[in-house]
Amino acid sequence: MSDDPETAERKMRFLFALRQRGVTDPRVLEAMERIDRGEFVRGHFEDRAYEDTPLPIPCGQTISQPSVVGLMTQALEVGPRDKVLEIGTGSGYQASILSLLCRRVYTIDRHRRLVAEAEALFRDLGLTNITTLVADGSRGLPEQAPFDRIMVTAAAEDPPGPLLAQLKIGGIMVVPVGQSDAVQTLIRVRRGENGFDYDELRQVRFVPLVEGLGQT
């Protein structure tokens, strides 16, 4: 089913805005063109789905602004054979984009409602290589480790030790770190034979990484 002219125009502006903000990887741009952000934004904010802004979702969480999703995905350097762990399923938007770029995504959230709603969307979109779990993301998923890539979509004070331990040699993790809501830095961690290398990418704002399970 083709888009109506207005929707097609909004999507074109959406992709142009991503390129303007530094999302240049062709595979990432193609994935973000195929995964319609409008599917993941419901209720009062539907008409803002194609704006480059974070928006509220249930359980006090947010769907990240598209340029940040694109830049984080680009920084992760995902390959088609990679096994990826995502901490913080949220709306499911980030996991859906990752699923087009890798072999398998394992995505974890502490809120049952978000996992259930994301699973339903993945089914509707025919994304069969995503495994969703309700769990404490700060602990990672040791039974499936090691991972080629790890994406963390909530801010920790430091890159969490359990997640670093679950990263394969040669693997990459992208994680926002910072002790306050106001000042956080997006970090890319590469695991080498002799330890970890850290790159600071940009300033960001994410909800905090919280231990334990949510009430909903």
Side-chain angles (χ1 to χ4, degrees):
M1 187 176 67
S2 61
D3 292 328
D4 63 77
E6 184 181 346
T7 301
E9 172 72 17
R10 282 195 301 177
K11 287 184 178 179
M12 190 170 69
R13 289 200 304 267
F14 176 81
L15 291 167
F16 180 71
L18 291 176
R19 291 188 185 93
Q20 276 193 314
R21 288 166 174 82
V23 184
T24 56
D25 185 303
R27 292 180 70 235
V28 174
L29 286 167
E30 182 185 358
M32 295 189 73
E33 183 175 13
R34 287 175 57 190
I35 299 296
D36 184 353
R37 191 176 187 240
E39 298 282 351
F40 299 85
V41 180
R42 294 284 181 257
H44 299 304
F45 298 98
E46 280 184 38
D47 61 343
R48 301 184 64 189
Y50 302 105
E51 295 179 17
D52 191 37
T53 186
L55 295 170
I57 61 172
C59 305
Q61 305 300 296
T62 58
I63 179 171
S64 296
Q65 68 191 83
S67 61
V68 170
V69 171
L71 290 167
M72 289 179 72
T73 306
Q74 186 169 273
L76 204 60
E77 300 176 16
V78 181
R81 300 301 304 161
D82 285 347
K83 181 170 70 170
V84 179
L85 174 63
E86 182 199 29
I87 306 301
T89 309
S91 68
Y93 180 57
Q94 176 73 80
S96 298
I97 291 165
L98 290 169
S99 76
L100 300 186
L101 301 170
C102 69
R103 178 169 57 90
R104 176 153 292 279
V105 180
Y106 292 87
T107 181
I108 295 174
D109 204 286
R110 60 193 295 270
H111 296 286
R112 289 177 180 81
R113 175 181 174 182
L114 295 181
V115 168
E117 291 180 359
E119 280 184 329
L121 268 172
F122 300 152
R123 283 194 299 272
D124 289 346
L125 296 172
L127 303 174
T128 59
N129 63 336
I130 305 176
T131 300
T132 51
L133 301 104
V134 179
D136 179 349
S138 66
R139 300 173 184 269
L141 192 61
E143 59 268 32
Q144 292 293 340
F147 293 93
D148 301 288
R149 300 289 186 267
I150 299 177
M151 170 83 79
V152 186
T153 60
E157 289 191 14
D158 298 291
L163 300 183
L164 291 172
Q166 291 170 37
L167 193 59
K168 189 178 287 187
I169 301 292
I172 296 173
M173 177 164 69
V174 172
V175 53
V177 296
Q179 297 186 342
S180 75
D181 291 345
V183 182
Q184 299 167 1
T185 303
L186 192 63
I187 302 289
R188 177 167 53 199
V189 185
R190 296 180 189 269
R191 184 170 193 179
E193 294 284 353
N194 301 311
F196 299 93
D197 292 321
Y198 299 86
D199 294 318
E200 293 189 3
L201 302 179
R202 57 168 285 160
Q203 298 299 302
V204 290
R205 289 190 70 177
F206 278 85
V207 296
L209 182 65
V210 179
E211 294 184 4
L213 297 181
Q215 299 301 307
T216 56

